[in-house]
Amino acid sequence: MALLTDTIPLLCRSKDDVVNFLRGAGTSEALLGRIREQLALDRGAVSKYKITRDVIGQLNEQGDQGLGVRRALLRRVTEFDDFSTCWPDDQLKARGLVAQIRDVVGVKDSFTRMQQERDQEREAHVAARRATEDKLRRRGALYADLRTQISNLFGMEDTRKRGLELESLLNRIFSLDGIGIREAFTLRLEDGEAAEQIDGVVELDGQIYLVEVKWWAKPLDINPISRHLVRVINRAGVSGLMISASGYSSPAVQECERFLVHGVMVLGELRELVLLLEREESLGSWLRQKTRMAKLERRPYAVLDVDF
């Protein structure tokens, strides 16, 4: 602002030109009225520099209210390019002061832009952190809801309804990790008779799994396992996933081990899924690890209770 006080009088030949220059930047008549009165009473008692200094001082005292006018003054000075309107002896000095003001404004604008970029970066970081926290809260609430629903299943006396509820619940659990799912469907013959019932289909990393869910009072024997293996082997490139609430018999596990020469069969237990929900861990990682152990270690039935 001190540079403006030194520069504006050099850009204007007369005191009236200074007043008009200030008015052109938006200075109110309330500020300029007193200057006009002083000029009318005694022009010699008021210099161009005093006029500029008094008006700029009052604009500074206005704080944010006078910010727009102060910026307009800066803009008028930095954009000034016709120095022929100055007194000949003032032209060189005026050019130098205008150039100096442009440099100062440029530096301040650069710092302002840097600060704005830092503020934007900080705001983006805060927004991203809040979005992540919100996502984790929503995910935690969903895990808690699923845990509650699984717990409620243990109190159901209607076994058929419990099985249907479990199938629907598993679809939600699988979708929680972004695993592609297709809910239960029935394949029918031409006469409309049901040929086979498939509890569900999931897809992970491009691999499709036929899913069968059983909630029996005793470990699953070889019969339901064999039926599911037939469904799997009749579909090229498809793997099998069986989930049991009561474990598996030794013959059933051995049958799956023999099947591994033809394809992938994974045996899981409901308690594994309950543990995953309690720990809020990835079901996708669980299925990948189970599949890896079935392929490499020929262990279709490996109960996992560790972090992935």
Side-chain angles (χ1 to χ4, degrees):
M1 303 309 292
L3 283 172
L4 285 178
T5 303
D6 292 336
T7 305
I8 291 175
L10 297 178
L11 304 179
C12 306
R13 292 200 174 196
S14 68
K15 299 171 186 177
D16 291 331
D17 290 340
V18 172
V19 173
N20 290 332
F21 189 94
L22 296 171
R23 182 171 57 84
T27 306
S28 66
E29 287 298 328
L31 291 181
L32 297 176
R34 186 171 59 84
I35 303 296
R36 296 184 191 279
E37 291 176 0
Q38 292 176 348
L39 291 175
L41 291 174
D42 186 359
R43 295 182 66 88
V46 184
S47 68
K48 292 190 294 181
Y49 290 93
K50 185 178 187 309
I51 294 172
T52 306
R53 184 166 47 253
D54 288 350
V55 171
I56 289 178
Q58 292 181 69
L59 289 173
N60 276 334
E61 291 176 0
Q62 291 180 354
D64 291 342
Q65 184 179 354
L67 184 59
V69 178
R70 297 201 300 273
R71 287 177 173 170
L73 276 175
L74 276 172
R75 186 164 53 251
R76 293 203 74 185
V77 172
T78 55
E79 294 176 354
F80 195 92
D81 58 0
D82 184 11
F83 294 93
S84 63
T85 59
C86 307
W87 291 109
D89 292 343
D90 293 337
Q91 290 179 9
L92 186 59
K93 185 177 181 181
R95 286 180 182 274
L97 287 172
V98 168
Q100 189 174 352
I101 291 176
R102 287 172 180 164
D103 290 341
V104 173
V105 170
V107 170
K108 287 184 176 294
D109 285 347
S110 296
F111 277 108
T112 299
R113 285 192 296 271
M114 290 170 60
Q115 184 61 46
Q116 289 173 342
E117 291 172 358
R118 284 195 294 268
D119 291 343
Q120 291 172 356
E121 183 178 357
R122 182 165 53 250
E123 290 171 1
H125 178 72
V126 170
R129 187 180 70 248
R130 288 176 179 170
T132 300
E133 292 172 351
D134 289 342
K135 183 178 179 180
L136 290 175
R137 278 195 294 269
R138 291 194 299 270
R139 185 178 175 89
L142 184 55
Y143 269 110
D145 180 56
L146 292 171
R147 289 196 299 270
T148 300
Q149 292 191 51
I150 282 189
S151 298
N152 293 338
L153 293 180
F154 287 91
M156 281 190 178
E157 296 181 358
D158 187 335
T159 56
R160 184 178 182 278
K161 181 179 180 182
R162 182 180 61 191
L164 293 175
E165 290 287 338
L166 178 58
E167 291 172 12
S168 175
L169 187 56
L170 288 177
N171 284 326
R172 291 185 58 195
I173 294 174
F174 276 109
S175 64
L176 183 64
D177 267 345
I179 300 174
I181 62 170
R182 175 176 174 179
E183 297 187 3
F185 62 91
T186 302
L187 298 180
R188 297 187 179 277
L189 303 176
E190 291 183 5
D191 59 4
E193 183 180 350
E196 60 179 346
Q197 172 73 36
I198 296 178
D199 288 347
V201 178
V202 300
E203 183 173 356
L204 176 66
D205 302 333
Q207 179 62 49
I208 296 175
Y209 296 80
L210 292 187
V211 183
E212 183 78 4
V213 183
K214 296 295 183 183
W215 192 316
W216 288 12
K218 59 182 180 180
L220 296 189
D221 58 31
I222 194 171
N223 292 327
I225 293 292
S226 296
R227 288 194 293 270
H228 193 53
L229 291 177
V230 171
R231 300 188 190 102
V232 173
I233 203 170
N234 284 336
R235 293 168 173 82
V238 172
S239 299
L241 171 61
M242 178 75 77
I243 297 176
S244 169
S246 55
Y248 304 89
S249 67
S250 295
V253 175
Q254 292 168 5
E255 183 68 13
C256 291
E257 291 174 349
R258 288 191 291 268
F259 176 81
L260 292 177
V261 299
H262 304 289
V264 176
M265 182 63 187
V266 175
L267 301 177
E269 290 196 17
L270 182 60
R271 62 190 176 100
E272 292 181 87
L273 303 186
V274 173
L275 184 60
L276 288 172
L277 290 176
E278 289 177 351
R279 296 178 176 180
E280 298 187 7
E281 293 176 356
S282 168
L283 186 63
S285 297
W286 171 80
L287 184 53
R288 289 187 189 96
Q289 180 71 355
K290 298 271 286 188
T291 300
R292 188 178 302 112
M293 296 180 75
K295 288 181 176 180
L296 299 180
E297 301 179 20
R298 296 188 54 78
R299 295 172 59 197
Y301 183 41
V303 179
L304 304 179
D305 58 357
V306 296
D307 296 339
F308 306 107

